[in-house]
Amino acid sequence: MAKDKSTFTCTECGGTSARWMGKCPSCNAWNTLIEGSSEPAAGKNRFGSVHASLAPTSEVLPLAQIEAADFERHPTGIDELDRVLGGGMVEGGVVLIGGDPGIGKSTLLLQAVDALQRSGMNTLYVTGEESGAQVAMRSRRLGLPDSQVPVLPEIQLEKILHTLQSRQPGIAIIDSIQTVYSDQLTSAPGSVAQVRECAAHLTRTAKSTGTTIVLVGHVTKEGALAGPRVLEHMVDTVLYFEGDTHSNFRLIRAIKNRFGAVNEIGVFAMTEKGLKGVSNPSAIFLSQHAEPVPGSCVMVTLEGTRPLLVEIQALVDSGGPSPRRLSVGLDRDRLAMLLAVLHRHAGVACMDQDVFVNAVGGVRISEPAADLAVMLAITSSLRGKALPKGFIAFGEVGLAGEVRPAPRGQDRLKEAAKLGFKVAVVPKANAPKKNDKPFEGLTIYPVDRIEEAMQVVRGLD
Ligand code: TYD
Ligand code: MG
């Protein structure tokens, strides 16, 4: 097994550094850093060095005496990616990028790593899924035939670690973590044990050498077993690709970020020449019907900092003895709950009907603010009556039939007004107050309960 990299200690002041530098970061003396740390040797225990390598010292100190160094960030220059990362790749940070096969993980990372290499950073692209020739082909396709990114086709962990030690890159991409295996384990490559152990080793290396490591993880179809989920707790940042592979739009969402905000999203369009950022994405998840159709309701979702308009579609159709409830992009348990609330509080019964709901464009909506739009889309489909042109709705619906406010309702309404929406049904607490400036062209119906929302919609027929 390759040994973990130890820290460098200054012979003058005893200060430590995660990597070798000409000048000691603590006392500014030149050529005084020597390899070796003050920590006891980790011994034979393979977990021994985990904690030692998290920080260069293992002394107990009051928080106030620990220097809170700001993270060194390296923007990739791809704005939408930097946005989800919280400003760029962080030195020594470990990023996990998950997503369905073919969604664009390798494409985006090659673009990012090439930009970093061009900015003067030392990079490394470890490919376990594709040959060097395939990666080269992709770089040609991306219009980067002169790319200087060093590529290592390798899947054995020990060899990868060795290359990381010897080249000391600023950033290394491991594409993908599921192909990497360690000699030290008997389980098959791609198994949970292998994936976990390899990721743990790479994480330790990142912390001890200051190399940023990006792990690519496929979301496996057979549940999330050996998929990226098992790694979420050990990395600093978790990004997931969303989007329908049949549409061009891709969304990257930060699920966890120790160095930035979570739920921030980056939006891209897959083009002939790779992924291009979409800086004004709010209207891309609408399926542009010329005339409104039954079973469709637009909502404004606001996860992260940017509002997005997303069309929710529902189809209610007579079902068999055990009717189906299916949802794509929305939570299925929540759908069952909303159907019960519709029945109990608004008198809309779908017990003997199949109910399908879908968020257009492959987006996943986890916020409860989608409830009202889901319920209105279902009712619209059941009645066979379209909602009016330019209609939007948002708001959480509780079990008692109450409509609860969504966070930052004003921003959502502003975006809807900006895009020319005309009618909005929203929770009372989200509606503008008496003295607030009205949203131009947008008539707002504040509601307190689901029955009221239904009444408003019927009144608009
Ligand atoms: P890829 O990055 O290989 O996906 P992943 O690594 O997530 O499995 O992307 C594959 C898809 O993207 C593939 O279907 C081809 C398409 N593509 C483009 O449309 N334009 C391009 O410039 C590139 C490189 C890929
Ligand atoms: Mg790939």
Side-chain angles (χ1 to χ4, degrees):
M1 196 191 304
K3 256 179 46 205
D4 274 312
K5 182 115 195 72
S6 50
T7 50
F8 292 85
T9 312
C10 174
T11 49
E12 289 290 317
C13 68
T16 52
S17 161
R19 58 161 86 192
W20 190 85
M21 282 188 269
K23 190 162 88 168
C24 168
S26 312
C27 68
N28 290 333
W30 287 92
N31 278 333
T32 53
L33 287 179
I34 53 158
E35 191 170 350
S37 69
S38 45
E39 294 128 32
K44 279 214 163 62
N45 181 352
R46 67 193 170 96
F47 300 114
S49 57
V50 177
H51 301 293
S53 58
L54 287 178
T57 111
S58 26
E59 259 179 86
V60 178
L61 285 174
L63 275 177
Q65 282 176 33
I66 300 176
E67 229 169 287
D70 219 2
F71 312 113
E72 180 105 26
R73 281 183 197 273
H74 302 285
T76 60
I78 301 176
D79 290 346
E80 294 293 306
L81 178 62
D82 289 339
R83 172 200 293 277
V84 275
L85 287 169
M89 299 283 183
V90 173
E91 214 175 274
V94 181
V95 182
L96 172 69
I97 294 200
D100 292 336
I103 202 155
K105 301 179 294 295
S106 306
T107 304
L108 180 67
L109 290 173
L110 189 56
Q111 286 178 269
V113 88
D114 180 78
L116 287 168
Q117 177 79 31
R118 277 170 211 269
S119 73
M121 195 190 239
N122 197 357
T123 67
L124 181 68
Y125 191 102
V126 181
T127 168
E129 305 222 317
E130 294 166 304
S131 64
Q134 282 170 304
V135 179
M137 221 157 71
R138 183 177 290 119
S139 80
R140 306 284 190 281
R141 186 168 176 187
L142 294 172
L144 310 165
D146 57 340
S147 179
Q148 297 299 313
V149 172
V151 175
L152 170 71
E154 183 56 71
I155 54 172
Q156 204 204 326
L157 177 73
E158 286 71 23
K159 290 190 184 150
I160 296 172
L161 289 176
H162 184 259
T163 311
L164 286 175
Q165 307 286 345
S166 61
R167 296 185 70 98
Q168 301 255 332
I171 183 167
I173 314 289
I174 312 292
D175 189 1
S176 66
I177 185 66
Q178 276 123 335
T179 55
V180 179
Y181 77 98
S182 166
D183 270 351
Q184 308 288 313
L185 296 181
T186 47
S187 46
S191 63
V192 177
Q194 283 281 8
V195 167
R196 259 206 206 130
E197 182 74 8
C198 293
H201 270 286
L202 288 162
T203 304
R204 254 172 271 165
T205 309
K207 301 294 165 208
S208 62
T209 58
T211 298
T212 306
I213 292 189
V214 182
L215 305 173
V216 176
H218 290 296
V219 175
T220 45
K221 285 277 177 276
E222 317 74 53
L225 213 55
R229 280 263 126 98
V230 301
L231 305 177
E232 282 177 357
H233 66 282
M234 63 173 90
V235 302
D236 299 308
T237 305
V238 179
L239 307 181
Y240 276 106
F241 256 102
E242 289 175 21
D244 202 333
T245 33
H246 307 295
S247 96
N248 288 337
F249 293 110
R250 304 281 186 273
L251 225 136
I252 297 187
R253 201 187 291 273
I255 301 293
K256 160 180 174 179
N257 197 350
R258 288 185 183 146
F259 308 118
V262 283
N263 268 330
E264 192 54 270
I265 50 176
V267 185
F268 293 91
M270 181 61 97
T271 68
E272 261 318 293
K273 289 203 150 191
L275 287 160
K276 295 251 163 16
V278 179
S279 49
N280 189 9
S282 56
I284 60 175
F285 294 106
L286 303 177
S287 70
Q288 321 279 347
H289 310 288
E291 282 305 313
V293 291
S296 150
C297 181
V298 177
M299 75 161 298
V300 195
T301 160
L302 213 166
E303 292 183 75
T305 50
R306 288 186 304 183
L308 269 186
L309 282 103
V310 179
E311 179 179 336
I312 308 287
Q313 296 185 327
L315 180 67
V316 181
D317 199 18
S318 55
S322 52
R324 286 180 292 171
R325 275 91 182 78
L326 283 181
S327 65
V328 180
L330 294 148
D331 184 31
R332 199 161 61 150
D333 291 339
R334 194 142 191 112
L335 171 63
M337 188 194 101
L338 295 178
L339 287 172
V341 175
L342 258 184
H343 180 220
R344 184 67 182 266
H345 296 285
V348 179
C350 304
M351 275 98 74
D352 52 352
Q353 309 275 329
D354 284 341
V355 180
F356 308 99
V357 294
N358 173 34
V360 168
V363 215
R364 264 170 229 141
I365 300 178
S366 52
E367 61 165 3
D371 294 352
L372 198 51
V374 171
M375 292 167 102
L376 292 179
I378 291 172
T379 332
S380 159
S381 173
L382 190 66
R383 297 171 67 214
K385 261 207 148 345
L387 290 158
K389 207 172 173 145
F391 181 94
I392 63 139
F394 61 82
E396 179 181 348
V397 179
L399 283 178
E402 80 279 17
V403 177
R404 298 197 202 123
R408 296 174 52 204
Q410 302 292 304
D411 293 343
R412 297 178 200 242
L413 286 169
K414 201 162 121 203
E415 192 66 21
K418 198 175 100 192
L419 289 165
F421 281 80
K422 305 249 168 336
V423 188
V425 174
V426 301
K428 202 161 257 168
N430 286 142
K433 307 281 168 302
K434 256 203 201 100
N435 302 326
D436 289 352
K437 208 168 116 235
F439 295 97
E440 210 152 309
L442 186 67
T443 312
I444 296 169
Y445 294 92
V447 295
D448 247 343
R449 303 197 44 83
I450 183 69
E451 305 89 288
E452 267 177 74
M454 296 295 159
Q455 258 168 21
V456 169
V457 168
R458 255 179 250 126
L460 292 171
D461 278 350

